[in-house]
């Protein structure tokens, strides 16, 4: 079936379409009720189905004859460790660790926080929770104690699982003191902390509360899979909202399994036996969907990489992994390729490796600027697919359905709506806009299986944040447009749109243009307050290594370029070179903070920031350049 007819069918007959997809996974009890519309506008998929996500990822694969196939490849350049697990080995470890959790009193519906680096035990812990129906919440290992305490208070785990340390490039980060501090701060007190001692750091244990990972593991008996209702929660994943309180995105079991299976086969075109590399971390949604659950539920071999795109040890590290394990498909954020490009602009490192096994490269998480796209395409000669989704959706919303032959791309577009999603562009009144017209990007309800239908402990907030903006639609918070052929262009969060003299302009669009300049490695365009025009855009520029440009001349060139490409209406008159840009750990530029600095507003240190020292530095620079009055960090 072609992409167009499949997409159309998914919207015209969602129940039939998803019943077909659901029949492709191994339920304990096949669902008879496919879709229910609830009174509050949310939906439930496969309501009477029963299954177990760890069974699908492991036991079922073994039953299909994949017991001796490699399930997980752990490759850790930061510790010089490589280790592989067959499906049978991984299942045995998971079943036994599930037994250990059971002995600690963890059962169906209980919370477990996993605060761990990219070690296989983190993945084993996730699957062990899934096996017994416990609800895991993986908290990215770099989060500060305060953020961990917020998540402990919200998800009320019985047990916290952690490791003695994580490793960032060559730096050993001790985790245990952070967990101890979070436990002190939290009002909810988990009963036990299970600690994986790594050779790089030895954690101090607290008598009576802390337990050694392998001590509890070694004396545990393996346990089987607990049948779960389709809509029982599998995990909570906290993500930032517009307030300081993170949103606990809740993922179900049934919709998630069906959606990931569909995505793995149809979007990423991965078959059982293929090798897949999701370059992310189990602390993010990509790590859940496309390092752990998706590839394993699809019978693939998943690469579990503990390292960075550069300096572990160099910019060839991804390509080395591709060659070594004959990786067939990979997924990374554009920021990873920008980092690689900065250190290996001519692709010399790339050419040291044989990447002929690789079919294609997917990118998502932030805007893929066209210079990075062209560079990656030129050096790799592989199809580069931009695609778009969110923690909330859990799987791609717009993407090429490569297995359906929909491999067309438009540079700058995140491709077309995936079957199951009715993506539309709306004006502020909720009226659908014409092709090529900018507006709010929304998804007409029902959302397909896999997308979050609630927030942990806060269903009201879910309804207000996502379903309240446009009746009958899910509000994505992104702005952009769809062209006449259905290709979606994401221009950034709607709060990145600025208003200059009453004209709506996309800072993303300006960034795209500025990034084309040969001297620029990366940039952020933010709106700063202007008494006359409301807002005006300002570019903050990061130069490529080794570029020695006259800053004033460069600014003049960029001002002329934007004037030429967008017009004087853009009022782009300032572009300032900075040493570093503040980013989240997942590589997104913290534009909201930059905006606040520019507006002289107080701001709190964002919990997701990669390096706190950048903010005072950039504040000083912006004040010096006259782009901001004094700002206060609290
Ligand atoms: P997260 O939930 O952290 O994955 O962030 C989701 C947000 O990242 C989306 O709402 C978009 O603003 C942005 N995003 C994700 N993928 C893309 C992409 N391919 N192009 C542009 N923005 C993206």
């Amino acid at each position: 079936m072609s992409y167009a007819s499949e997409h159309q069918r998914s919207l015209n007959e969602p129940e039939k379409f998803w019943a077909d997809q659901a029949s492709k996974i191994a339920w304990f009890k096949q669902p008879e009720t496919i879709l229910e519309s609830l009174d509050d506008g949310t939906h439930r998929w496969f309501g009477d189905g029963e299954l177990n996500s760890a069974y699908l990822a492991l036991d079922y694969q073994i039953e299909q004859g994949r017991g001796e196939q490699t399930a997980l490849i752990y490759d850790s350049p930061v510790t010089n460790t490589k280790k592989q697990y067959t499906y049978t080995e991984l299942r045995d470890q998971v079943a036994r660790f599930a037994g250990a959790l059971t002995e600690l009193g963890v059962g169906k519906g209980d919370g477990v926080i996993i605060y761990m680096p990219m070690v296989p035990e983190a993945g084993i812990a996730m699957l062990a929770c899934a096996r017994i129906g416990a609800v895991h919440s993986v908290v990215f290992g770099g989060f500060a104690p305060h953020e961990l305490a917020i998540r402990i208070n919200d998800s009320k785990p019985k047990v916290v699982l952690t490791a003695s340390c994580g490793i960032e490039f060559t730096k050993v980060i001790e985790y245990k003191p952070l967990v101890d501090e979070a436990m002190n701060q939290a009002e909810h007190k988990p009963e036990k902390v299970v600690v994986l001692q790594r050779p790089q750091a030895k954690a101090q244990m607290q008598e009576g509360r802390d337990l050694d990972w392998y001590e509890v593991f070694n004396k545990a008996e393996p346990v089987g899979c607990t049948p779960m209702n389709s809509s029982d929660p599998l995990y909570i994943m906290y993500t930032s909202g517009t307030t300081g309180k993170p949103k606990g995105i809740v993922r179900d079991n049934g919709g998630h399994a069906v959606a990931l299976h569909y995505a793995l086969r149809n979007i990423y075109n991965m078959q059982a036996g293929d090798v897949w590399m999701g370059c992310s971390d189990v602390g993010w949604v990509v790590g859940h969907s496309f390092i752990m659950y998706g590839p394993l539920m699809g019978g693939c071999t998943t690469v579990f990489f503990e390292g960075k795109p550069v300096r572990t040890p160099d910019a060839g590290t991804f390509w080395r992994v591709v060659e070594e394990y004959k990786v067939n498909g990979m997924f990374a954020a554009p920021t990873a390729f920008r980092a690689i490009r900065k250190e290996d602009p001519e692709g010399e490192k790339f050419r040291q490796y044989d990447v002929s096994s690789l079919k294609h490269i997917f990118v998502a998480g932030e805007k893929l600027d066209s210079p990075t796209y062209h560079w990656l395409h030129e050096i790799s000669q592989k199809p580069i697919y931009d695609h778009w989704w969110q923690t909330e959706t859990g799987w791609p919303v717009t993407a090429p359905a490569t297995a359906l032959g929909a491999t067309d791309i438009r540079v700058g577009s995140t491709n077309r709506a995936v079957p199951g999603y009715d993506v539309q562009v709306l004006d502020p009144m909720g009226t659908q806009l014409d092709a090529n017209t900018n507006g709010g990007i929304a998804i007409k309800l029902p959302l397909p299986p896999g997308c979050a239908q609630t927030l942990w402990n806060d269903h009201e907030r879910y309804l207000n944040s996502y379903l309240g903006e446009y009746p009958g639609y899910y509000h994505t918070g992104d702005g952009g447009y769809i062209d006449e052929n259905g290709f979606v262009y994401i221009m950034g969060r709607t709060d990145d749109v600025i208003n200059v003299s009453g004209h709506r302009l996309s800072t993303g669009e300006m960034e795209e243009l500025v990034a084309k300049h040969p001297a620029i490695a990366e940039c952020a365009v933010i709106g700063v307050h202007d008494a006359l025009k409301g807002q005006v855009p300002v570019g903050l520029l990061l130069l490529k290594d080794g570029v020695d440009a006259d800053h004033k001349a460069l600014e003049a060139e960029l001002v002329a370029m934007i004037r030429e490409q967008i017009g004087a209406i853009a009022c782009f008159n300032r572009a300032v070179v900075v040493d570093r840009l503040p980013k989240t750990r997942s590589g997104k530029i913290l534009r909201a903070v930059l905006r606040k600095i520019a507006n002289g507003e107080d701001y709190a240190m964002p919990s997701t920031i990669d390096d706190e020292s950048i903010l005072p530095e950039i504040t000083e620079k912006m004040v010096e350049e006259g782009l901001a009055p004094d700002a206060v960090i609290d």
Side-chain angles (χ1 to χ4, degrees), residues 350-514:
F350 175 86
R351 282 190 292 278
Q352 290 173 10
Y353 300 97
D354 173 4
V355 298
S356 53
S357 58
L358 196 61
K359 278 202 272 203
H360 44 223
I361 300 173
F362 278 81
V363 295
E366 50 161 337
K367 199 163 174 57
L368 172 63
D369 55 287
S370 64
T372 302
Y373 165 82
H374 287 298
W375 173 82
L376 185 57
H377 181 58
E378 263 159 43
I379 66 150
S380 71
Q381 293 296 308
K382 304 283 177 192
I384 311 298
Y385 296 123
D386 190 3
H387 67 322
W388 167 70
W389 48 298
Q390 309 179 306
T391 304
E392 288 84 342
T393 65
W395 67 290
V397 182
T398 71
T402 64
L404 302 175
T407 52
D408 291 8
I409 59 160
R410 304 278 187 280
V411 179
S413 164
T414 62
N415 223 287
R416 291 178 288 191
V418 168
Y421 288 99
D422 186 354
V423 181
Q424 299 187 10
V425 178
L426 306 179
D427 73 8
M429 304 307 292
T431 309
Q432 194 174 354
L433 289 165
D434 292 339
N436 298 307
T437 310
N438 255 306
I441 301 187
I443 303 166
K444 195 162 191 300
L445 300 178
L447 288 168
C451 298
Q453 297 283 346
T454 191
L455 295 177
W456 189 253
N457 284 335
D458 207 348
H459 192 59
E460 271 311 298
R461 188 176 181 198
Y462 177 89
L463 298 177
N464 292 335
S465 308
Y466 301 111
L467 306 190
E469 184 84 9
Y470 308 115
Y473 290 85
Y474 166 87
H475 168 60
T476 68
D478 282 328
Y481 64 93
I482 305 180
D483 74 9
E484 57 285 349
N485 298 311
F487 282 81
V488 175
Y489 293 75
I490 304 290
M491 303 315 293
R493 301 292 302 184
T494 35
D495 44 14
D496 281 342
V497 171
I498 59 171
N499 192 312
V500 181
S501 303
H503 302 289
R504 285 181 63 130
L505 294 168
S506 160
T507 52
E509 189 185 353
M510 289 183 231
E511 285 177 10
E512 171 87 10
L513 293 170
V514 171

Side-chain angles (χ1 to χ4, degrees), residues 11 18 102 139 178 519 533 621:
L11 303 191
W18 287 109
T102 308
V139 178
L178 307 176
K533 302 183 174 84
K621 177 75 180 174

